[in-house]
Amino acid sequence: MSMFAEERQRLVANRVAEAGRVSVTELADRFSVTTETVRRDLAALETAGVLRRVHGGAVPAGRGATSEESLLERQVQNLLEKRAIADAAAALVASSRAGSVLLDAGSSTEALAERLMGPLPDGQGLVVVTNALPIAEKLAANPNLNVQLLGGRIRPLTQAAVGQATVDAVGRLRPDLAFVGANGLHAEFGLSTPDTEEAAVKAAFVRSARRVVALVDHTKFGVEALVQFARLDQLDAIVTDVAPTGDMADALAEAGVEVVEAGRP
């Protein structure tokens, strides 16, 4: 069966991220397409900032503390891990019987939004508040949800509302659960992100919710982006694909943060 270009490009991006460097011929063999098709895929992914083309193949795009992926780029990274994390996060929503949820902008929270499109247990009603245009648009199609979109200036890179108006609006809320994403989770620096305005909104989410859950895959462990938006002791739980070890595990335990490992009983 043939594969849609978008799906193939996501798998190509995952392969580059995992291997560090891939060749055009390897990708052509893996996906049973021509080398010309692979080159077109690599060109599209390079334009999106996902990778960098080199002679005969591609390598991951370089990153720094102030660099930031586009929404498309984040969507194609670690797809299986994010889906598992989203499943575990959705189970937390159901088991906690939450009546209101805050969803941060990001690819992990968008994956969770997809899970919330399904039926909730026993007709559970849910108010979902978000600053993310793609999440609001997705959830608005479910008539069983009360979806509220926070206002503010929209950042094109992440399609998220930011600014003082957004922060003030969050400050007037007291939701049961807040799910936040992050570019980094560090034992000493806590949760961080590259952009100051997005960090301010994330920090407001953390302050407002009764229970705060971070959705972070293992690639975020030990990473320090430019702006801290939460200390570890401000979190109630993290949902991740692989349980942290060493200093990271010790710091989470000392801060009283529950670690929910996706895909594990």
mmCIF file of all heavy atoms in Angstrom, residues 152-190:
data_model
loop_
_atom_site.group_PDB
_atom_site.id
_atom_site.type_symbol
_atom_site.label_atom_id
_atom_site.label_comp_id
_atom_site.label_asym_id
_atom_site.label_seq_id
_atom_site.Cartn_x
_atom_site.Cartn_y
_atom_site.Cartn_z
ATOM 1 N N GLY A 152 -5.223 36.894 22.744
ATOM 2 C CA GLY A 152 -3.874 37.422 22.808
ATOM 3 C C GLY A 152 -3.274 37.538 21.429
ATOM 4 O O GLY A 152 -3.935 37.270 20.424
ATOM 5 N N ARG A 153 -2.010 37.935 21.372
ATOM 6 C CA ARG A 153 -1.308 37.990 20.097
ATOM 7 C C ARG A 153 -0.891 36.590 19.691
ATOM 8 O O ARG A 153 -0.375 35.823 20.509
ATOM 9 C CB ARG A 153 -0.056 38.880 20.234
ATOM 10 C CG ARG A 153 0.735 39.034 18.930
ATOM 11 C CD ARG A 153 1.976 39.884 19.144
ATOM 12 N NE ARG A 153 2.956 39.229 19.996
ATOM 13 C CZ ARG A 153 3.825 38.306 19.567
ATOM 14 N NH1 ARG A 153 3.809 37.909 18.302
ATOM 15 N NH2 ARG A 153 4.695 37.769 20.402
ATOM 16 N N ILE A 154 -1.109 36.236 18.422
ATOM 17 C CA ILE A 154 -0.783 34.891 17.958
ATOM 18 C C ILE A 154 0.651 34.853 17.426
ATOM 19 O O ILE A 154 1.017 35.622 16.528
ATOM 20 C CB ILE A 154 -1.755 34.437 16.851
ATOM 21 C CG1 ILE A 154 -3.200 34.469 17.366
ATOM 22 C CG2 ILE A 154 -1.392 33.033 16.366
ATOM 23 C CD1 ILE A 154 -3.471 33.564 18.544
ATOM 24 N N ARG A 155 1.458 33.966 18.006
ATOM 25 C CA ARG A 155 2.816 33.734 17.490
ATOM 26 C C ARG A 155 2.734 32.800 16.290
ATOM 27 O O ARG A 155 2.266 31.657 16.415
ATOM 28 C CB ARG A 155 3.710 33.077 18.540
ATOM 29 C CG ARG A 155 4.100 33.963 19.698
ATOM 30 C CD ARG A 155 5.201 33.275 20.513
ATOM 31 N NE ARG A 155 6.465 33.246 19.793
ATOM 32 C CZ ARG A 155 7.301 32.221 19.814
ATOM 33 N NH1 ARG A 155 7.020 31.112 20.486
ATOM 34 N NH2 ARG A 155 8.446 32.277 19.152
ATOM 35 N N PRO A 156 3.166 33.218 15.118
ATOM 36 C CA PRO A 156 3.061 32.363 13.935
ATOM 37 C C PRO A 156 3.801 31.033 14.077
ATOM 38 O O PRO A 156 3.337 30.003 13.586
ATOM 39 C CB PRO A 156 3.687 33.222 12.821
ATOM 40 C CG PRO A 156 3.497 34.625 13.287
ATOM 41 C CD PRO A 156 3.662 34.570 14.790
ATOM 42 N N LEU A 157 4.953 31.051 14.763
ATOM 43 C CA LEU A 157 5.769 29.841 14.862
ATOM 44 C C LEU A 157 5.043 28.712 15.570
ATOM 45 O O LEU A 157 5.123 27.549 15.176
ATOM 46 C CB LEU A 157 7.079 30.152 15.598
ATOM 47 C CG LEU A 157 8.103 29.020 15.656
ATOM 48 C CD1 LEU A 157 8.650 28.728 14.267
ATOM 49 C CD2 LEU A 157 9.228 29.376 16.611
ATOM 50 N N THR A 158 4.322 29.030 16.645
ATOM 51 C CA THR A 158 3.645 27.997 17.438
ATOM 52 C C THR A 158 2.128 28.081 17.370
ATOM 53 O O THR A 158 1.449 27.222 17.926
ATOM 54 C CB THR A 158 4.065 28.105 18.915
ATOM 55 O OG1 THR A 158 3.741 29.422 19.386
ATOM 56 C CG2 THR A 158 5.558 27.865 19.077
ATOM 57 N N GLN A 159 1.595 29.124 16.727
ATOM 58 C CA GLN A 159 0.149 29.340 16.636
ATOM 59 C C GLN A 159 -0.488 29.392 18.023
ATOM 60 O O GLN A 159 -1.586 28.877 18.249
ATOM 61 C CB GLN A 159 -0.501 28.258 15.766
ATOM 62 C CG GLN A 159 0.018 28.266 14.334
ATOM 63 C CD GLN A 159 -0.633 27.217 13.473
ATOM 64 O OE1 GLN A 159 -1.839 27.023 13.539
ATOM 65 N NE2 GLN A 159 0.162 26.525 12.667
ATOM 66 N N ALA A 160 0.209 30.044 18.945
ATOM 67 C CA ALA A 160 -0.254 30.165 20.324
ATOM 68 C C ALA A 160 -0.517 31.626 20.656
ATOM 69 O O ALA A 160 0.202 32.520 20.208
ATOM 70 C CB ALA A 160 0.792 29.608 21.283
ATOM 71 N N ALA A 161 -1.545 31.872 21.470
ATOM 72 C CA ALA A 161 -1.822 33.218 21.964
ATOM 73 C C ALA A 161 -0.867 33.523 23.107
ATOM 74 O O ALA A 161 -0.695 32.721 24.026
ATOM 75 C CB ALA A 161 -3.270 33.319 22.441
ATOM 76 N N VAL A 162 -0.240 34.698 23.048
ATOM 77 C CA VAL A 162 0.712 35.115 24.080
ATOM 78 C C VAL A 162 0.477 36.590 24.396
ATOM 79 O O VAL A 162 -0.285 37.272 23.730
ATOM 80 C CB VAL A 162 2.175 34.894 23.623
ATOM 81 C CG1 VAL A 162 2.474 33.429 23.408
ATOM 82 C CG2 VAL A 162 2.475 35.702 22.356
ATOM 83 N N GLY A 163 1.161 37.070 25.426
ATOM 84 C CA GLY A 163 1.075 38.468 25.789
ATOM 85 C C GLY A 163 0.378 38.664 27.127
ATOM 86 O O GLY A 163 -0.145 37.712 27.725
ATOM 87 N N GLN A 164 0.362 39.909 27.596
ATOM 88 C CA GLN A 164 -0.195 40.199 28.914
ATOM 89 C C GLN A 164 -1.674 39.865 29.006
ATOM 90 O O GLN A 164 -2.147 39.415 30.061
ATOM 91 C CB GLN A 164 0.038 41.669 29.270
ATOM 92 C CG GLN A 164 -0.230 41.992 30.729
ATOM 93 C CD GLN A 164 0.644 41.188 31.668
ATOM 94 O OE1 GLN A 164 1.851 41.102 31.484
ATOM 95 N NE2 GLN A 164 0.035 40.577 32.694
ATOM 96 N N ALA A 165 -2.415 40.072 27.923
ATOM 97 C CA ALA A 165 -3.847 39.758 27.946
ATOM 98 C C ALA A 165 -4.063 38.268 28.191
ATOM 99 O O ALA A 165 -4.979 37.866 28.931
ATOM 100 C CB ALA A 165 -4.508 40.179 26.638
ATOM 101 N N THR A 166 -3.224 37.442 27.590
ATOM 102 C CA THR A 166 -3.333 35.991 27.779
ATOM 103 C C THR A 166 -2.992 35.618 29.217
ATOM 104 O O THR A 166 -3.698 34.837 29.857
ATOM 105 C CB THR A 166 -2.382 35.254 26.819
ATOM 106 O OG1 THR A 166 -2.514 35.798 25.509
ATOM 107 C CG2 THR A 166 -2.703 33.768 26.782
ATOM 108 N N VAL A 167 -1.903 36.174 29.718
ATOM 109 C CA VAL A 167 -1.481 35.890 31.089
ATOM 110 C C VAL A 167 -2.562 36.319 32.084
ATOM 111 O O VAL A 167 -2.891 35.580 33.030
ATOM 112 C CB VAL A 167 -0.147 36.599 31.398
ATOM 113 C CG1 VAL A 167 0.199 36.483 32.881
ATOM 114 C CG2 VAL A 167 0.978 36.008 30.549
ATOM 115 N N ASP A 168 -3.150 37.500 31.884
ATOM 116 C CA ASP A 168 -4.195 37.993 32.784
ATOM 117 C C ASP A 168 -5.424 37.080 32.751
ATOM 118 O O ASP A 168 -6.036 36.804 33.798
ATOM 119 C CB ASP A 168 -4.601 39.415 32.409
ATOM 120 C CG ASP A 168 -3.504 40.429 32.710
ATOM 121 O OD1 ASP A 168 -2.574 40.091 33.464
ATOM 122 O OD2 ASP A 168 -3.599 41.557 32.187
ATOM 123 N N ALA A 169 -5.784 36.614 31.556
ATOM 124 C CA ALA A 169 -6.952 35.742 31.426
ATOM 125 C C ALA A 169 -6.738 34.427 32.163
ATOM 126 O O ALA A 169 -7.643 33.913 32.837
ATOM 127 C CB ALA A 169 -7.255 35.483 29.949
ATOM 128 N N VAL A 170 -5.538 33.868 32.056
ATOM 129 C CA VAL A 170 -5.230 32.624 32.765
ATOM 130 C C VAL A 170 -5.288 32.846 34.271
ATOM 131 O O VAL A 170 -5.768 31.990 35.024
ATOM 132 C CB VAL A 170 -3.837 32.092 32.356
ATOM 133 C CG1 VAL A 170 -3.481 30.849 33.177
ATOM 134 C CG2 VAL A 170 -3.797 31.769 30.872
ATOM 135 N N GLY A 171 -4.844 34.010 34.723
ATOM 136 C CA GLY A 171 -4.834 34.306 36.152
ATOM 137 C C GLY A 171 -6.220 34.354 36.777
ATOM 138 O O GLY A 171 -6.350 34.235 38.003
ATOM 139 N N ARG A 172 -7.242 34.518 35.952
ATOM 140 C CA ARG A 172 -8.617 34.539 36.463
ATOM 141 C C ARG A 172 -9.249 33.153 36.486
ATOM 142 O O ARG A 172 -10.440 33.019 36.797
ATOM 143 C CB ARG A 172 -9.466 35.496 35.619
ATOM 144 C CG ARG A 172 -9.057 36.960 35.768
ATOM 145 C CD ARG A 172 -10.057 37.890 35.118
ATOM 146 N NE ARG A 172 -10.021 37.784 33.663
ATOM 147 C CZ ARG A 172 -9.244 38.533 32.875
ATOM 148 N NH1 ARG A 172 -8.421 39.440 33.416
ATOM 149 N NH2 ARG A 172 -9.269 38.410 31.559
ATOM 150 N N LEU A 173 -8.485 32.133 36.157
ATOM 151 C CA LEU A 173 -9.002 30.771 36.084
ATOM 152 C C LEU A 173 -8.448 29.925 37.231
ATOM 153 O O LEU A 173 -7.381 30.198 37.774
ATOM 154 C CB LEU A 173 -8.624 30.126 34.750
ATOM 155 C CG LEU A 173 -9.114 30.825 33.482
ATOM 156 C CD1 LEU A 173 -8.538 30.133 32.252
ATOM 157 C CD2 LEU A 173 -10.636 30.848 33.421
ATOM 158 N N ARG A 174 -9.195 28.873 37.583
ATOM 159 C CA ARG A 174 -8.730 27.894 38.575
ATOM 160 C C ARG A 174 -9.131 26.503 38.096
ATOM 161 O O ARG A 174 -10.001 25.845 38.669
ATOM 162 C CB ARG A 174 -9.350 28.210 39.942
ATOM 163 C CG ARG A 174 -8.799 27.359 41.079
ATOM 164 C CD ARG A 174 -7.328 27.653 41.348
ATOM 165 N NE ARG A 174 -6.911 27.092 42.626
ATOM 166 C CZ ARG A 174 -5.658 26.828 42.917
ATOM 167 N NH1 ARG A 174 -4.709 27.055 42.032
ATOM 168 N NH2 ARG A 174 -5.348 26.345 44.101
ATOM 169 N N PRO A 175 -8.512 25.998 37.027
ATOM 170 C CA PRO A 175 -8.891 24.696 36.465
ATOM 171 C C PRO A 175 -8.416 23.539 37.334
ATOM 172 O O PRO A 175 -7.489 23.683 38.142
ATOM 173 C CB PRO A 175 -8.186 24.686 35.114
ATOM 174 C CG PRO A 175 -6.983 25.537 35.349
ATOM 175 C CD PRO A 175 -7.414 26.618 36.287
ATOM 176 N N ASP A 176 -9.032 22.399 37.122
ATOM 177 C CA ASP A 176 -8.644 21.202 37.876
ATOM 178 C C ASP A 176 -7.270 20.692 37.449
ATOM 179 O O ASP A 176 -6.475 20.267 38.289
ATOM 180 C CB ASP A 176 -9.681 20.094 37.673
ATOM 181 C CG ASP A 176 -11.040 20.469 38.217
ATOM 182 O OD1 ASP A 176 -11.101 21.018 39.335
ATOM 183 O OD2 ASP A 176 -12.044 20.232 37.525
ATOM 184 N N LEU A 177 -7.017 20.711 36.152
ATOM 185 C CA LEU A 177 -5.775 20.154 35.612
ATOM 186 C C LEU A 177 -5.185 21.103 34.580
ATOM 187 O O LEU A 177 -5.920 21.712 33.796
ATOM 188 C CB LEU A 177 -6.044 18.810 34.913
ATOM 189 C CG LEU A 177 -6.078 17.523 35.724
ATOM 190 C CD1 LEU A 177 -6.558 16.382 34.846
ATOM 191 C CD2 LEU A 177 -4.699 17.201 36.278
ATOM 192 N N ALA A 178 -3.865 21.218 34.576
ATOM 193 C CA ALA A 178 -3.163 21.907 33.491
ATOM 194 C C ALA A 178 -2.118 20.963 32.921
ATOM 195 O O ALA A 178 -1.344 20.368 33.669
ATOM 196 C CB ALA A 178 -2.494 23.189 33.982
ATOM 197 N N PHE A 179 -2.131 20.812 31.611
ATOM 198 C CA PHE A 179 -1.113 20.024 30.924
ATOM 199 C C PHE A 179 -0.202 20.984 30.168
ATOM 200 O O PHE A 179 -0.665 21.757 29.325
ATOM 201 C CB PHE A 179 -1.755 19.037 29.945
ATOM 202 C CG PHE A 179 -2.500 17.917 30.618
ATOM 203 C CD1 PHE A 179 -3.869 17.993 30.780
ATOM 204 C CD2 PHE A 179 -1.831 16.798 31.095
ATOM 205 C CE1 PHE A 179 -4.567 16.968 31.403
ATOM 206 C CE2 PHE A 179 -2.518 15.772 31.716
ATOM 207 C CZ PHE A 179 -3.883 15.853 31.875
ATOM 208 N N VAL A 180 1.090 20.929 30.475
ATOM 209 C CA VAL A 180 2.050 21.825 29.840
ATOM 210 C C VAL A 180 3.148 21.016 29.165
ATOM 211 O O VAL A 180 3.537 19.940 29.623
ATOM 212 C CB VAL A 180 2.682 22.811 30.853
ATOM 213 C CG1 VAL A 180 1.619 23.726 31.443
ATOM 214 C CG2 VAL A 180 3.428 22.065 31.957
ATOM 215 N N GLY A 181 3.641 21.556 28.062
ATOM 216 C CA GLY A 181 4.803 20.985 27.401
ATOM 217 C C GLY A 181 6.016 21.826 27.724
ATOM 218 O O GLY A 181 5.911 22.910 28.297
ATOM 219 N N ALA A 182 7.199 21.337 27.338
ATOM 220 C CA ALA A 182 8.438 22.066 27.617
ATOM 221 C C ALA A 182 9.504 21.661 26.619
ATOM 222 O O ALA A 182 9.464 20.562 26.066
ATOM 223 C CB ALA A 182 8.921 21.780 29.038
ATOM 224 N N ASN A 183 10.458 22.551 26.402
ATOM 225 C CA ASN A 183 11.613 22.216 25.573
ATOM 226 C C ASN A 183 12.704 21.543 26.386
ATOM 227 O O ASN A 183 13.582 20.894 25.824
ATOM 228 C CB ASN A 183 12.166 23.476 24.913
ATOM 229 C CG ASN A 183 11.199 24.080 23.921
ATOM 230 O OD1 ASN A 183 10.190 24.662 24.314
ATOM 231 N ND2 ASN A 183 11.491 23.939 22.637
ATOM 232 N N GLY A 184 12.660 21.746 27.706
ATOM 233 C CA GLY A 184 13.666 21.131 28.549
ATOM 234 C C GLY A 184 13.137 20.808 29.933
ATOM 235 O O GLY A 184 12.274 21.515 30.463
ATOM 236 N N LEU A 185 13.632 19.718 30.511
ATOM 237 C CA LEU A 185 13.343 19.329 31.900
ATOM 238 C C LEU A 185 14.682 19.027 32.559
ATOM 239 O O LEU A 185 15.361 18.069 32.189
ATOM 240 C CB LEU A 185 12.434 18.097 31.935
ATOM 241 C CG LEU A 185 12.154 17.524 33.325
ATOM 242 C CD1 LEU A 185 11.293 18.491 34.138
ATOM 243 C CD2 LEU A 185 11.448 16.170 33.222
ATOM 244 N N HIS A 186 15.056 19.866 33.526
ATOM 245 C CA HIS A 186 16.387 19.776 34.124
ATOM 246 C C HIS A 186 16.260 19.651 35.638
ATOM 247 O O HIS A 186 15.380 20.246 36.254
ATOM 248 C CB HIS A 186 17.195 21.023 33.758
ATOM 249 C CG HIS A 186 18.637 20.945 34.105
ATOM 250 N ND1 HIS A 186 19.130 21.297 35.339
ATOM 251 C CD2 HIS A 186 19.713 20.533 33.370
ATOM 252 C CE1 HIS A 186 20.436 21.124 35.349
ATOM 253 N NE2 HIS A 186 20.818 20.666 34.173
ATOM 254 N N ALA A 187 17.168 18.877 36.240
ATOM 255 C CA ALA A 187 17.107 18.622 37.676
ATOM 256 C C ALA A 187 17.183 19.906 38.495
ATOM 257 O O ALA A 187 16.523 20.032 39.533
ATOM 258 C CB ALA A 187 18.247 17.678 38.076
ATOM 259 N N GLU A 188 17.958 20.873 38.054
ATOM 260 C CA GLU A 188 18.109 22.124 38.792
ATOM 261 C C GLU A 188 17.314 23.275 38.185
ATOM 262 O O GLU A 188 16.759 24.101 38.913
ATOM 263 C CB GLU A 188 19.592 22.516 38.857
ATOM 264 C CG GLU A 188 20.447 21.512 39.618
ATOM 265 C CD GLU A 188 21.917 21.893 39.610
ATOM 266 O OE1 GLU A 188 22.252 22.940 39.018
ATOM 267 O OE2 GLU A 188 22.720 21.142 40.192
ATOM 268 N N PHE A 189 17.226 23.334 36.856
ATOM 269 C CA PHE A 189 16.597 24.459 36.176
ATOM 270 C C PHE A 189 15.096 24.269 35.994
ATOM 271 O O PHE A 189 14.379 25.219 35.670
ATOM 272 C CB PHE A 189 17.275 24.672 34.817
ATOM 273 C CG PHE A 189 17.028 26.019 34.201
ATOM 274 C CD1 PHE A 189 17.311 27.182 34.900
ATOM 275 C CD2 PHE A 189 16.532 26.127 32.911
ATOM 276 C CE1 PHE A 189 17.102 28.434 34.320
ATOM 277 C CE2 PHE A 189 16.327 27.370 32.323
ATOM 278 C CZ PHE A 189 16.612 28.525 33.040
ATOM 279 N N GLY A 190 14.608 23.065 36.194
ATOM 280 C CA GLY A 190 13.176 22.818 36.058
ATOM 281 C C GLY A 190 12.729 22.772 34.614
ATOM 282 O O GLY A 190 13.436 22.273 33.744
#
